[in-house]
Amino acid sequence: MWRNYLKTAWRSLLRDRLYTIINLVGLTVGLISFVFIALYISDELSYDRYHSQADRTYRLWEILDFEGAGEESSSMQFPVTPALLNDYPHLIDDVVRFFNFQRPVFTMQVEDLKFNEEGIFFADSGVFRVFDWPLIGGDPKVMGQPNMVVINEELAEKYFGDEDPIGKDVIIEGGIQLKVGGVMKDVPAQSHFRPKALISFITLRNFMGNPIGGNNWVWNPCWTYVMLQEGVTPEELEGQFPSFIEKYYPEFMAGQTSFYLMPLADIHLESHLEYEIRPNHERSYLYILGAIGFIILLIAATNFTNLATARSSRRAREVGVRKVLGAERQQLVGQFLSESILLTLIAVILSLALIQILLPGFNGMASKELAFATLFEPLNLIFILASALFLGVVAGLYPAVFLSGFQPVKVLKGGTPGKGKQAFRRVLVVLQFTLSAALIVGTLMVNRQFQFMQSQDPGFNESNVIVMSTKQQILQQFEAFRTEVLADESIEKFTIMNDILGEDHNVFEYNYEGMQPDKWQYLPSLIVDEHFVSTMGLEIVAGRDFNEDIKSDDTAAVLVNETLVREMGWGTPEEALGQRMTTPRGQERVVGVLKDFHYVSLNEPIRPFVLDMIKTQGFWVQEFAVRVKPGMDQRAIDHLEEVWGKFGSQFPFEYFYLEDRLDSLYQGQNTLRVLVALFSLVAIVISCIGLFALTSLSVEQRTKEIGIRKILGAEAGSLIRLIAREFLSLVLIAFVIAIPFAYWALNNWLNGFAYRIDFSWGAVAVAGLLSIAISALTISYHAWKVTRTDPVKSLRYE
């Protein structure tokens, strides 16, 4: 029976080629978009789930809350790990720390080859028990031995080619000599961070004393992952944290510190803490894309249903003849559903072929590494086929039931095959364009919000600033290096900082007026020098800048922002001058108040902030920043490379522009903006394809009427209005319905931003004009065709 259905369905599709092509285009484009969105979402949801112990692995994070200041940190203190293992062996299977000296880039050298590399971490010996990063050579036990490193395949090929790297020497940062103890597979892209080299944690004993990190319960540079014992819930361990903190932490911190566990598989989409290894993505973005994917499928299905019911007059006599010959209604339903499913399956085949061609471009656009082969994994293939089957059934069910219900006597006499079909089609057109109009408004608002964030004045001048990561060997000759850098006329300013302004910061302890002498409050801070404010173009609203002629500024002066002044209750910026801000380095006082600036991205609100100085060059100086004269970039770069080679020839010269680095903080948002615009356009195109076909069928069904009107003297304008009025009025109704839905959804989304735009009625007006213009253009071909039709041919139509 089904064989006969499919054969008949195939003949029917070939008989009406235009209808088949229009539906195939709509379904294929819809399925391609849906599959791309599904692949993207699936990839985002799969992060870190490949680890066999992911369900019992958590990252430890902490909140330090000092009267609203402090931090929410993704990293922990050094001694937390051994203390946890010692106190809770019945709850914890293992704990692994990752540490990188708070330096994202290390210089790696093998003989004459040397490159700056990201992704180099010190890690505890249990790293390969907790994380499934399989070794293709060597032994994971080397992570318990000093001066050992495990590198990934990429580095093994880069530095050793076809040679076996096991046992070979590697030098890190020009002085740490290590032996390669293993080679691990490249860490999958679906990881919230991707280490390229892991150095045994015990190696740190040579650099930081014994025990590693000392007994410092304040400094928290270690990302710490806990693997629980089988059957232990995270709540059981979290319940122990208050007593753990009370036992080990300094008294001034214990009451303000809280620990929490975050599931490993949730980090990529849920964790937006300070000091993340790298920026994570937002789960809300997946909801947006998922909704668009569903809307695209719904519009494609609506097109199919609309066109099938619009063609009912063509199929009416066929149904009548079949019923007279004894066909049952369920048989006719099966016949029409088989056509729908066959068409959908053809669309699936076309979609897969086109996806293979388009996937590299989509990967570049979405910053992904999606593989075409993943579509043919059993679960993915089942999902695609099930989606196609569901689409075919949903799209074809109403037409099948509607067409199979025709009364044979009535349709064979030429009667009207149903009176409710036009109303139903109008409802579907309104649904399509309601969704399309909402997507247009959403696309405009998403674009405006992200443009707003990236166009905001950060409060400092990030243009023409070149940043270079420091090296200890250069810092040992700092004054000479600085003098050489400033010797060329292409260089305006030179400064140092311990983190990248606008991207990250640290927190330091302060004791201010009114606090007990033995208490400390941790405030977000940057360690800088006397030239930082002028180099970065910060604005001082009261007091003065650091002054290199005042030798005591490094131990007696701090600069604070306006927000800190307000939250401390110090009155005006002028009244804040002279306020005590004691640090472990001395009795410091506020000498200047800075206009508020965004020391991290605009995803976070401005909080109290301090600029402080540490005169001794060392660990706290991580970055050099150079302001270049406009138009002299290449000369400045050549000069910097020459000076770098003179003072640090053992390190490759690398730099980046601060403006580019800060733009990269919004990569996830830019990706969302592009994808939302692309798939919204797809939805609108599919809607227009359907509207084009419906207009064509409407004109065809009214051919005789139009011919009579032309003979009776109807002008071209009145005929165009006749054709366009019905559909444009439906589009207008759809737009009115879309406004409240778009308003509600977009306001909810915008409320998640620290800095947001208001809902724009201008965007609504633009969306309305676009909807009407696009619809009018879609209908215009048929309207123009009507004015060119010979009325004699129209009257011969039947």
Side-chain angles (χ1 to χ4, degrees), residues 99 101-103 219 221 470 472 475 498 506 616-622:
F99 173 66
F101 279 102
Q102 297 179 312
R103 300 183 67 88
W219 185 34
T470 63
Q472 285 301 311
L475 287 174
N498 70 310
N506 215 308
T616 55
Q617 316 303 337
F619 181 84
W620 293 117
V621 179
Q622 299 284 351

Side-chain angles (χ1 to χ4, degrees), residues 33 136 194 252 300 356 385 439 554 617 686 702 746 763 770:
S33 302
I136 58 177
R194 301 175 69 183
F252 74 91
Q356 186 173 20
L385 293 175
L439 286 178
D554 66 320
Q617 316 303 337
I686 295 174
R702 302 175 73 171
L746 286 166
L770 280 175

